[in-house]
Amino acid sequence: MSGDAGVEIRAALAPLMRQDGGVIAAFGASKPRIYNQAPPSSARSPFPYVTLGLMHVVAEPYEGIDSGHAQWMIHVWSRPDPRTTDAAAAIAA
């Protein structure tokens, strides 16, 4: 699995999360706020929102197949609110 695959995965993940019914319900918004990096403090997004953190891609070639795995840090930012747990659970699903 090449670094390019990691870029492709990152580009695809946010739109998929924004369309997921569980994520939409947990965030209480028709378009959940999901960012590649935290918005600058001058443009801070209303809570809750998600930032896609560091991604670590490990190549594991197997019998000539370009394969591997990726580990990803996903952050859910919110104020104390019962919906926070729902939002985190929806993202994890």
Side-chain angles (χ1 to χ4, degrees):
M1 176 180 269
S2 69
D4 292 341
V7 171
E8 292 172 11
I9 292 168
R10 178 179 281 276
L13 184 61
L16 288 174
M17 290 170 60
R18 285 188 191 103
Q19 296 172 7
D20 183 82
V23 173
I24 291 169
F27 277 78
S30 61
K31 186 176 179 189
R33 291 170 296 278
I34 301 169
Y35 305 102
N36 283 323
Q37 59 189 22
S41 59
S42 62
R44 187 65 64 191
S45 180
F47 291 101
Y49 65 90
V50 172
T51 57
L52 303 177
L54 296 176
M55 182 171 148
H56 181 68
V57 178
V58 177
E60 295 178 344
Y62 178 74
E63 295 184 2
I65 299 171
D66 184 21
S67 64
H69 72 271
Q71 297 174 331
W72 209 322
M73 183 79 67
I74 298 176
H75 307 273
V76 177
W77 300 88
S78 70
R79 302 265 187 234
D81 182 332
R83 290 185 313 154
T84 303
T85 303
D86 296 340
I91 294 293

